[in-house]
Amino acid sequence: MGIFRLGMKPSRLATLFLAVLLSWVLAGCGGVSSGQSQSGGGGGGGGSQNGPCNVVSTGQGASLNGFRPFPADNAWNQDVSGAPVDPNSDAIINFIGPSIGLHPDFGAGLYVGSSMGIPYSVVGAAQSPVSINFTAYGDESDPGPMPIPANAQIEGYPNPGNGDRHVLVLDNSGCFLYELYSASANNDGSWNAGSAAVWDMENDEQRPWTWTSADAAGLPIFPGLVRYDEVANGKIQHAIRFTLPQSQAAMVPPASHWAATSSNPIAPPMGMNLRLKASYDISGFSANVQVILTALKKYGMIMADNGSAMYLSGAPDDRWDNNDLHNLSQVPASAFEVVQMNPIYTAANVPQGAAPSISSFTASPTSVSSGTQVTLSWQASGASYYVISPQIGAVRGSSVTVTPTQTTTYTLYATNQYGRTQASVTVTVQ
């Protein structure tokens, strides 16, 4: 059983944002050689350098140009407009507070010197992977290295403070998503993080049951953000991340982790999806707000963390109209219904199964002079994704080429929903 994080604190914008709106590494063991290359690219197959992510622009808050992370059948991307209503829906809405309105936890500009929302950046193949040093939940984190730029924006930038300090980075060359919690940059290019996770955006990855991620529910954060580029394009094609202050010790797939703040059995579990009722009239809202509300009718919103009630997550962007976004507060919790939750996992019925099996992990050759290419190869089964540390990071396929500059022990981590298996091989540099 993993360690259940007590969740992140309620948004620091809970009162402040309302007020203002109302008033308005290098990796170790020689680093990454310039000759490094990868064949294939984590577990589960799929494309790599020429995959669907190549349409995504690079840069801070860059447009995805229509790309949608994860397959169509992923929980973030599923049309739930016709899904059954949970039998406890009314009771859960009453527990939340039927008169509590939606609140956009994102917007334009700064408040008290900090941005509003969770920023993200997109990098390409030129971004080198760097080491991640864990300060809290390393045993439930992906080890890295990860291609996190030294200047990646931390949630709350330019003054992140003591909040959740998320860092989100998409790699449009490998099509992986990297997310850090409680992050801070080091002078040598490496990053510190309370926890971190890598997500294969071409596959339906499942983190190990009871493991956290950069979010309390063990979910990816980025696919649930409201982004300006998609709203301006007239369509959000995914569920939206949201928070509530009270949750029980339970989770609904795809969540893999809980962070209970309530012992009430009617309190929401992590991963719960709230759907805006089809009958709710949205015609009186602006075009941009209608885009958000239409997505809430089709895809719903997924509870991903403990925080302020009915807070929707989004990316900061100076093009947002904060006054217009604030009109979301007119939509009460009573306008929502809970999508049927089945199964609901608790400590009594957490799924059990076999972790991945690694039958071989080899290097050819095993002894080289500095600057000589070495092929790492592996045979494994049952893995959702792979990470090789140091120097490499997330990979797909069954082999990768490295160019070590000093004697290096490489470790292959194979992970699925039941756990992680690892194997190591040493390459001697003479």
Side-chain angles (χ1 to χ4, degrees), residues 194-266:
S195 60
V198 57
W199 302 90
D200 183 346
M201 292 191 290
E202 297 181 5
N203 292 288
D204 287 323
E205 175 187 324
Q206 168 70 60
R207 290 190 69 70
W209 297 114
T210 76
W211 282 28
T212 189
S213 61
D215 219 349
L219 294 170
I221 296 171
F222 178 78
L225 297 184
V226 179
R227 309 189 317 273
Y228 186 85
D229 67 313
E230 57 187 350
V231 171
N233 196 43
K235 184 183 295 184
I236 293 175
Q237 300 185 85
H238 58 80
I240 298 172
R241 177 187 186 268
F242 86 109
T243 63
L244 289 170
Q246 296 189 69
S247 63
Q248 64 166 296
M251 57 193 175
V252 177
S256 64
H257 185 264
W258 62 74
T261 58
S262 174
S263 58
N264 191 320
I266 207 64

Side-chain angles (χ1 to χ4, degrees), residues 24-42:
W24 350 44
V25 145
L26 295 177
C29 303
V32 178
S33 166
S34 61
Q36 177 186 319
S37 63
Q38 294 186 18
S39 62

Side-chain angles (χ1 to χ4, degrees), residues 37-121:
S37 63
Q38 294 186 18
S39 62
S48 55
Q49 266 67 9
N50 297 314
C53 283
N54 60 6
V55 302
V56 179
S57 300
T58 58
Q60 185 62 49
S63 174
L64 270 62
N65 298 316
F67 171 73
R68 181 170 66 167
F70 306 115
D73 63 353
N74 188 274
W76 288 103
N77 300 331
Q78 286 184 4
D79 181 345
V80 298
S81 59
V85 176
D86 194 87
N88 289 322
S89 179
D90 290 343
I92 293 172
I93 295 298
N94 286 332
F95 179 87
I96 293 170
S99 64
I100 296 176
L102 289 175
H103 186 92
D105 201 15
F106 59 96
L110 304 178
Y111 188 74
V112 193
S114 297
S115 55
M116 297 178 286
I118 304 176
Y120 68 92
S121 59

Side-chain angles (χ1 to χ4, degrees), residues 4-25:
F4 291 102
R5 189 161 84 225
L6 292 179
M8 288 54 140
K9 66 180 183 180
S11 171
R12 59 187 171 77
L13 301 174
T15 302
L16 300 178
F17 190 40
L18 277 170
V20 71
L21 286 179
L22 288 171
S23 66
W24 350 44
V25 145

Side-chain angles (χ1 to χ4, degrees), residues 114-158:
S114 297
S115 55
M116 297 178 286
I118 304 176
Y120 68 92
S121 59
V122 183
V123 299
Q127 176 61 51
S128 298
V130 299
S131 296
I132 309 297
N133 309 307
F134 293 104
T135 60
Y137 305 100
D139 58 337
E140 296 180 13
S141 294
D142 292 312
M146 300 180 180
I148 311 296
N151 62 350
Q153 290 180 346
I154 301 171
E155 181 181 7
Y157 77 92

Side-chain angles (χ1 to χ4, degrees), residues 303-375:
M303 183 181 175
D305 199 358
N306 299 314
S308 298
M310 301 294 287
Y311 269 44
L312 296 179
S313 299
D317 196 299
D318 286 340
R319 293 171 293 181
W320 289 122
D321 181 333
N322 290 340
N323 291 322
D324 186 40
L325 288 176
H326 188 58
N327 289 324
L328 286 164
S329 64
Q330 299 173 28
V331 184
S334 60
F336 289 82
E337 54 200 359
V338 180
V339 175
Q340 186 174 53
M341 298 183 290
N342 185 25
I344 299 176
Y345 292 128
T346 67
N349 67 337
V350 172
Q352 304 294 318
S357 173
I358 301 175
S359 56
S360 67
F361 181 46
T362 61
S364 179
T366 58
S367 182
V368 296
S369 57
S370 179
T372 302
Q373 288 191 339
V374 174
T375 299

